[in-house]
Each structure stands twice: as structure tokens, then as C-alpha cells.
Amino acid sequence: MSLEDCADALRDHDPDRFGICLLAPAEARAKLMTLYALNLELARAPLASTEPLIAEMRLQWWIERLEDIGAGKPQSHELLTPLAEAWGPRAAGFAVLAEARRRDAARAPLDGPDAVVAYVRDTAVPLAQFAAEALDGATGGFAPPDPRGVFGKRKNTEVASVIAAQAEGVGLAHWLAALPALQGLGLGLWDAAPGALAQIAGHARAKLAEAKAQRRHVPRRLAPVLFPGAGVRAALQAAPRGIEALAGAAPSEFRRRLALGSFALTHRWWI
């Protein structure tokens, strides 16, 4: 998978993040595209088999290959090769993104809103932090992150806090938008009653409000990784009405492009 292949995969399956890559500085695109393409593959890996053991073995393969990159072992793989070229040993840290997907291999629904929040926090927040690292390294940097992907210097804790809150809020909205499909895969909720969905939407709104209140701490150069996409408001409004309402809340391609174009002009990411 060359960078062009990464771009094609994102354009087809993750258009919002593809748009982020287009808005990023040229020197950051290789890092962002390979990171987001890896995230796409990790999300798919546990769904490639209905047998939990085989699905988990697929994830373990990715973890071991990322560890190999960290150890400096050369890669000959369509995605891992450009990933290693873009990130070097730092790519070993991406194993946390794979670890967070292990529960998907079991095809077991989540047992309530708190479990959904924990799952989204584990999957969405580290990804946003790694993406911010890619952008920040391309523009001079304000502090190196620690090995877990969290910004290290005390003066940057405010920025890390905003990124985490925005990623969690947006991630929950995206999870709700995907819920009709997730239910069919066995990855939704045991009890997807409107009350539970309203609770998840309420938590998402609280995290988005937290990020908005601290938006002045975030350098403009990091705005692309905070871009929420076009469907967040619609998903949060539809959630209390149930899964059927969520199924009809997906934004059109026109709305997606309009949201990205508006963000490109204003860099306004908060909701």
C-alpha cells in the first residue's frame, strides 16, 4: 500500500480523515495518511473472521509487526513499509490502537453507556493524540509526547486535555451514527433502548462542550485533527429517538464536503 493506496482507502472508507490529510501541511501527510490507514486496517482486522480466536490472531499479527518496526526490523508490506518510513520506531506506540480493538474479536455487544464511553476513549483518544503529534512535528513542535502518546510537558497538558475531550465527544457521536450497522455485527449494545442512547449522547455533548470551553489553548496548526465532520450534530440529535432515527441521520456527500470546505476557510472545529 503506497501513500496513494492509503489515500484511496481513506477516500473510500474514511472521507472525513481523508479531508484532514488534504488540509495538513505537505510534510505531515505521509504520517497522517499511514496512521489513519493503519487505524482503518485495525478496525477491520477483528471483523475478518467470525471465529474469535482467528480474529484476535489477526490483531496480534499487527501488534507484532508494529513492535518489529520499533525494533528497527525492515518491513516488506504494502502498509507497514510506508508506515515505518514515515514514523520510524515511533510506530511501535501504535500497538495501543490494536490492543483497544481486542474486544471486537469476541463480537460481544457492550453492556451499557459506561462501557461505550470506555471503548471510545480507548480507541479514539490515542488516535487523535498521535495525529496531533504528526501535525505538530511538521510545524516545529511544542513538546514531544511520552511513549503512551500523551503530550509530555506540563505547559501542554491543556492542549492534551482539549484533544482528548474533543476526540471522545466526536468518537461517541460517530459510534452512535454507526450503531445500526454495529448492532448487526454484534458490536453494539445489549440494550440499545433510547434512554441508553440519550445517555451516551449526553456524555458526548459534555465532552464537546469541555473542548469548546478550552479551545483557546489549541494552536491553529492542530485544528485539523479536531475537525468533527458533518454528522456529529445529527447523530446526537437522533440518538434519543432510537436506532431507527440514527439510521436516517447520516449526512449526505454534499453536507460532508460543505463541512470540510467551511472548516478549511475558518479552522473552526468546536461545536
Side-chain angles (χ1 to χ4, degrees):
M1 184 180 290
S2 66
L3 285 179
E4 288 185 2
D5 293 326
C6 291
D8 289 342
L10 292 173
R11 184 188 297 110
D12 293 341
H13 302 290
D14 198 345
D16 285 341
R17 292 195 175 109
F18 175 68
I20 288 172
C21 293
L22 296 181
L23 295 175
E27 58 270 31
R29 285 179 197 152
K31 282 190 171 183
L32 280 179
M33 283 188 178
T34 53
L35 172 65
Y36 288 148
L38 174 68
N39 182 66
L40 193 59
E41 291 298 321
L42 295 178
R44 289 169 167 172
L47 305 182
S49 173
T50 56
E51 173 56 48
L53 181 59
I54 295 175
E56 189 159 357
M57 286 173 62
R58 290 178 182 272
L59 275 176
Q60 184 61 35
W61 184 89
W62 283 101
I63 292 170
E64 291 174 1
R65 299 295 77 73
L66 292 168
E67 291 172 348
D68 286 346
I69 295 175
K73 296 181 181 179
Q75 301 297 310
S76 180
H77 183 272
E78 57 186 6
L79 172 55
L80 293 170
T81 298
L83 183 79
E85 291 172 352
W87 287 91
R90 181 69 177 116
F94 301 161
V96 300
L97 301 174
E99 292 286 356
R101 299 283 182 179
R102 281 192 186 275
R103 74 160 317 281
D104 292 348
R107 296 290 183 99
L110 294 159
D111 61 6
D114 289 344
V116 174
V117 170
Y119 174 78
V120 168
R121 188 175 292 148
D122 288 345
T123 53
V125 173
L127 180 65
Q129 291 171 332
F130 285 127
E133 179 185 342
L135 281 178
D136 199 63
T139 54
F142 62 89
D146 71 23
R148 294 164 299 176
V150 180
F151 298 112
K153 293 183 179 179
R154 179 173 297 180
K155 68 179 181 178
N156 299 310
T157 56
E158 296 91 344
V159 179
S161 176
V162 178
I163 291 170
Q166 180 75 356
E168 186 171 329
V170 171
L172 286 168
H174 288 171
W175 188 91
L176 286 167
L179 183 58
L182 293 174
Q183 287 294 102
L185 294 170
L187 296 174
L189 280 166
W190 283 111
D191 180 9
L197 304 187
Q199 187 176 338
I200 295 168
H203 185 91
R205 287 193 182 93
K207 299 306 290 187
L208 292 170
E210 178 184 330
K212 180 179 180 180
Q214 301 179 71
R215 63 187 181 276
R216 290 180 178 82
H217 294 302
V218 180
R220 183 180 175 88
R221 64 181 178 267
L222 298 183
V225 302
L226 301 174
F227 172 58
V232 168
R233 284 194 180 93
L236 296 182
Q237 290 169 357
R241 303 198 305 274
I243 289 182
E244 293 79 7
L246 283 168
S252 66
E253 181 62 23
F254 173 77
R255 291 291 301 169
R256 286 184 183 277
R257 294 191 179 199
L258 183 63
L260 183 63
S262 176
F263 172 77
L265 291 174
T266 66
H267 273 57
R268 180 189 172 105
W269 52 264
W270 54 92
I271 297 176

